[in-house]
C-alpha cells in the first residue's frame, strides 16, 4: 500500500547541512502494523511528517513514495491536500497542541467528514456521535459540544483518534500516540488502533521510542538511528534476537524491575560521523572501516535487514 524510497530530509544550519533522515526506504502493506522505534532525535517524526506533507518549511526533502498505486514526490507539497485527513489519518503525541482550543471537539471531528466525504453538517454530527461512542468518549451527545480544555488528556487523545479515522483512511500514522498517557489509557488507545487496522484492513505506521508499545502492537519493526534504518525485522526477531549493536543496546537500556538501572546506550549528542556508520562514535564493536564507509544494507533470510559492517 505504501512504499517509501530514498527519503532524505536535511536542514541547513549556518554553513553546515544536517541530515535528519538519510535515504530511508521501507514499505507497509494493508492490514499491517509497522513500528518505527529509535532513540530521541533518530528521525522518526521527520519521517512521519514527510509522509503527510507537514515538514517545517525550512526542511529540504527529496525521495519518492508510492501510495495506493500513485507515485508521489516529497518535494511537491500540493499532493497531500486531498489525502491528509481523508486517505491518510494522523495521530500525534500532544492532542492539546493539535486540537483547536476555540472550536468544540465535535466540530473538529465533523469537519473532515463534511470536507472529504461531502456529508451535511447534520449527517456529520450524527457520525461524530457514533464515533465518540465507539471510542468511549461518553456521553457522546454532550461531549461533542465540549471544548478541548473540558476533556482529560486521554479523552483528547481519543478525539484526535476519532478525527484521524473519521474518513476511514487506508493508512494511519500514529506518532507517539500514547506517550503522555497513563498505562490504562495507553492500553485502551492501543487496542482502539489495533481494532481499526483489523476491522478496516488499514495499514498503521506506529512510531514510538517505547519498545513496550511497539512490542504490543507491531508486526514488523524498523529501528532508526541517526536518520537511518539500522535494522528491520518481525517484532519477534527484533525483540528476541536483535542483530545490530544499536538495537541490542536500545533493548538493554529498557528499565527492569528485577535489576538495577543500566544505561548502556550513550545519548547521541551530535556524535554522528559523516561518511561512516551513524553509530560509530558510540558502538562498542566499531572498527576502522566503520568511520570510513557507510555500512551497506544487507538483506537476510525471512525479510530481515541490517546495516552493519560486522554482520
Ligand atoms: N526545524 C528543525 N530544524 C533543524 N533541525 C530539526 C528541526 N526539526 C527537527 N530537527 C532535527 O531532526 C532530527 C530528527 O528529529 P525527529 O523529530 O524526527 O526525532 P524523533 O526521532 O522523532 O525524536 P523524539 O523521540 O524525541 O520525538 C533531530 O536531530 C532534530 O533536532
Ligand atoms: S557498522 Fe561498525 S560502528 Fe556501525 S554498528 Fe556496525 S560495528 Fe558498530
Ligand atoms: Mg518524535
Amino acid at each position: 500500500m505504501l512504499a517509501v524510497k530514498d527519503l532524505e530530509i536535511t536542514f541547513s544550519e549556518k554553513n553546515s547541512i544536517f541530515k535528519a533522515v538519510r535515504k530511508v526506504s521501507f514499505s507497509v502493506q494493508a492490514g499491517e502494523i509497522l513500528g518505527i522505534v529509535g532513540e530521541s532525535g533518530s528521525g522518526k517524526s521527520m519521517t512521519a511528517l514527510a509522509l503527510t506533507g507537514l515538514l517545517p518549511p525550512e526542511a529540504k526533502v527529496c525521495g519518492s513514495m508510492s501510495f495506493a498505486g500513485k507515485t508521489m514526490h516529497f518535494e511537491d507539497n500540493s499532493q497531500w491536500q486531498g489525502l491528509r485527513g481523508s486517505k491518510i489519518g494522523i495521530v500525534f503525541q500532544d492532542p492539546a497542541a493539535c486540537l483547536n482550543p476555540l472550536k468544540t471537539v465535535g466540530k473538529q471531528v465533523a469537519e473532515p467528514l463534511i470536507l472529504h466525504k461531502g456529508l451535511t453538517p447534520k449527517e456529520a454530527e450524527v457520525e461524530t456521535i457514533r464515533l465518540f461512542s465507539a471510542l468511549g468518549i461518553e456521553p457522546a451527545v454532550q461531549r461533542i459540544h465540549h471544548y478541548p480544555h473540558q476533556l482529560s488528556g486521554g479523552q483528547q487523545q481519543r478525539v484526535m483518534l476519532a478525527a484521524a479515522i473519521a474518513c476511514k483512511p487506508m493508512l494511519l500514522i500514529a506518532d507517539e500516540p500514547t506517550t503522555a498517557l497513563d498505562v490504562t489509557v495507553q492500553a485502551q488507545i492501543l487496542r482502539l488502533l489495533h481494532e481499526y487496522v483489523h476491522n478496516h484492513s488499514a495499514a498503521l505506521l506506529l512510531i514510538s521510542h517505547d519498545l513496550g508499545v511497539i512490542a504490543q502492537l507491531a508486526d514488523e519493526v524498523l529501528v532508526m538511528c541517526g536518520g537511518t534504518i539500522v535494522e528491520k525485522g518481525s517484532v519477534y526477531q527484533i525483540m528476541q534476537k536483535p542483530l545490530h549493536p544499536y538495537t541490542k543496546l536500545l533493548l538493554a537500556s529498557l528499565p527492569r524491575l528485577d535489576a538495577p538501572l543500566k544505561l548502556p546506550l550513550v545519548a547521541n549528542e551530535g556524535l554522528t560521523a559523516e561518511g561512516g556508520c551513524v553509530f560509530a562514535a558510540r558502538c562498542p564493536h566499531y572498527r576502522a572501516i566503520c568511520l570510513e564507509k557507510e555500512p551497506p544494507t544487507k538483506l537476510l533470510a525471512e525479510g530481515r535487514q541490517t546495516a552493519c559492517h560486522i554482520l
Side-chain angles (χ1 to χ4, degrees):
M1 177 193 290
L2 169 75
V4 174
K5 193 161 182 341
D6 294 336
L7 171 63
E8 190 156 272
I9 303 168
T10 51
F11 292 97
S12 300
E13 285 173 354
K14 293 179 189 147
N15 295 327
S16 64
I17 288 179
F18 172 70
K19 289 188 185 173
V21 175
R22 304 159 179 246
K23 298 261 178 205
V24 158
S25 301
F26 62 89
S27 61
V28 54
Q29 313 302 327
E32 187 186 358
I33 301 181
L34 178 68
I36 302 187
V37 74
E39 65 193 338
S40 187
S42 55
K44 305 180 299 293
S45 293
M46 288 295 123
T47 302
L49 292 173
L51 301 184
T52 48
L54 290 173
L55 281 170
E58 63 272 26
K60 192 168 170 296
V61 58
C62 51
S64 64
M65 78 178 209
S66 134
F67 175 63
K70 194 176 159 208
T71 301
M72 300 157 77
H73 296 276
F74 289 113
E75 301 92 320
D76 183 358
N77 236 335
S78 62
Q79 309 162 100
W80 273 265
Q81 292 299 338
L83 290 179
R84 206 168 44 221
S86 165
K87 292 198 167 78
I88 302 179
I90 316 156
V91 187
F92 288 118
Q93 173 180 353
D94 186 1
C98 297
L99 293 171
N100 184 339
L102 304 175
K103 264 189 200 169
T104 64
V105 288
K107 282 224 166 70
Q108 296 185 56
V109 174
E111 258 167 15
L113 289 164
I114 298 168
L115 191 69
H116 298 296
K117 293 281 172 195
L119 266 57
T120 64
K122 188 68 215 164
E123 288 167 342
E125 186 181 294
V126 171
E127 178 59 10
T128 302
I129 292 170
R130 191 195 67 75
L131 273 166
F132 274 29
S133 286
L135 297 182
I137 313 167
E138 299 284 12
V141 179
Q142 286 156 31
R143 283 289 182 209
I144 58 165
H145 301 296
H146 287 171
Y147 288 86
H149 74 271
Q150 294 173 287
L151 273 60
S152 71
Q155 286 164 337
Q156 289 178 2
Q157 191 61 300
R158 281 178 224 210
V159 169
M160 282 260 291
L161 185 54
I165 65 174
C167 294
K168 303 197 172 50
M170 305 155 74
L171 172 66
L172 203 52
I173 298 178
D175 186 358
E176 307 280 2
T178 59
T179 302
L181 305 174
D182 70 56
V183 282
T184 323
V185 184
Q186 172 172 306
Q188 288 167 352
I189 298 283
L190 294 180
R191 184 174 51 78
L192 292 169
L193 284 168
H194 186 265
E195 274 175 14
Y196 180 78
V197 171
H198 183 75
N199 294 341
H200 297 86
S201 294
L204 170 64
L205 203 61
L206 177 67
I207 294 169
S208 182
H209 65 269
D210 185 338
L211 284 153
V213 166
I214 296 288
Q216 279 182 64
L217 226 61
D219 302 309
E220 293 281 314
V221 183
L222 302 179
V223 184
M224 284 191 79
C225 173
T228 65
I229 296 172
V230 294
E231 182 160 9
K232 173 183 171 269
S234 70
V235 71
Y236 174 78
Q237 289 166 340
I238 297 293
M239 298 293 166
Q240 299 297 326
K241 296 176 179 173
L243 295 174
H244 196 279
Y246 170 75
T247 316
K248 287 182 178 172
L249 288 180
L250 201 60
L251 282 162
S253 304
L254 274 176
R256 291 175 51 151
L257 288 175
D258 60 348
L261 183 66
K262 284 190 295 182
L263 287 173
L265 184 61
V266 181
N268 186 5
E269 288 162 350
L271 298 173
T272 305
E274 224 17 87
C277 169
V278 291
F279 192 48
R282 296 183 287 158
C283 179
H285 308 289
Y286 86 95
R287 297 164 185 192
I289 189 174
C290 305
L291 290 171
E292 291 158 13
K293 259 177 85 176
E294 258 176 52
T297 298
K298 292 176 198 159
L299 299 177
L300 311 173
E302 297 167 356
R304 271 195 106 158
Q305 179 183 313
T306 63
C308 172
H309 285 300
I310 62 165
L311 293 172

